[in-house]
Amino acid sequence: MTARAAKRPHRTRVLCLSGPNLQLLGVREPEIYGHETLALVHERLAARAKELSATVDCRQSNHEGLLLDWIAEARTSFDGILLNAGAFTHTSLALFDALKAVAIPCVEVHLSNPEAREAYRHESKVAAACVGKVAGFGPQSYLLGLEGLLGALRR
Ligand code: DQA
């Protein structure tokens, strides 16, 4: 390690994952999910992370297997995970298992409040593998989730 690198403060590394259909934010049911694009959410998150001495790597996929691969990668490359698994939240035992396997803190994030919506959205398969959950605050849920995750990591 160079002397300059040694002096650089450690930035907490967060992996932010968004699941199926979240690439359509901004046009997808705006009355539920709002008008902001995922790119804008990611931009805000990166700016907030910087203020909080963290970095955030934001990724989105419609493919469960890719989300699983990214969670596995997080074990050695990230300190914590922010996860909006979209509809996989309610179906994916595999995501739950992956989070348990890597054993790094994860915060579950949702733009809407699934528990105030249709009954089939009330159950989260991933919740029991997470340190906490933020839901119902639109894009701000991601920012609140980041703050909660960093708090949990630094406690
Ligand atoms: C969501 C809620 C899920 O029920 C839904 O399937 C989504 C988005 C949210 O962010 O509010 O795709 O995760």
Side-chain angles (χ1 to χ4, degrees):
M1 195 190 291
T2 63
R4 185 185 286 181
K7 271 193 213 144
R8 213 178 289 143
H10 170 70
R11 286 186 173 271
T12 310
R13 301 157 305 170
V14 173
L15 177 63
C16 174
L17 298 181
S18 295
N21 301 311
L22 289 161
Q23 84 282 11
L24 294 173
L25 267 194
V27 293
R28 175 191 183 196
E29 298 179 278
E31 65 288 358
I32 298 176
Y33 299 113
H35 292 275
E36 275 182 25
T37 62
L38 189 60
L40 186 56
V41 174
H42 289 171
E43 227 173 86
R44 292 233 179 88
L45 204 53
R48 187 70 185 123
K50 199 169 178 197
E51 285 169 5
L52 298 170
S53 299
T55 60
V56 65
D57 184 336
C58 297
R59 306 177 190 178
Q60 185 277 333
S61 178
N62 293 325
H63 304 275
E64 189 176 8
L66 191 51
L67 294 167
L68 294 171
D69 290 345
W70 286 338
I71 291 171
E73 179 193 331
R75 193 177 63 81
T76 49
S77 307
F78 294 93
D79 301 300
I81 301 172
L82 272 184
L83 175 64
N84 183 352
F88 291 150
T89 305
H90 317 297
T91 60
S92 182
L93 186 56
L95 282 175
F96 168 81
D97 281 347
L99 294 171
K100 291 298 268 188
V102 297
I104 61 173
C106 177
V107 170
E108 179 180 351
V109 170
H110 298 285
L111 298 139
S112 67
N113 180 3
E115 287 169 21
R117 298 179 58 193
E118 303 92 334
Y120 52 81
R121 295 184 202 276
H122 292 184
E123 190 198 353
S124 166
K125 298 274 190 215
V126 299
C130 292
V131 293
K133 175 183 341 196
V134 182
F137 298 104
Q140 205 196 350
S141 290
Y142 280 79
L143 298 172
L144 295 169
L146 175 70
E147 291 179 20
L149 177 63
L150 294 175
L153 283 165
R154 291 168 184 173
R155 260 198 296 277

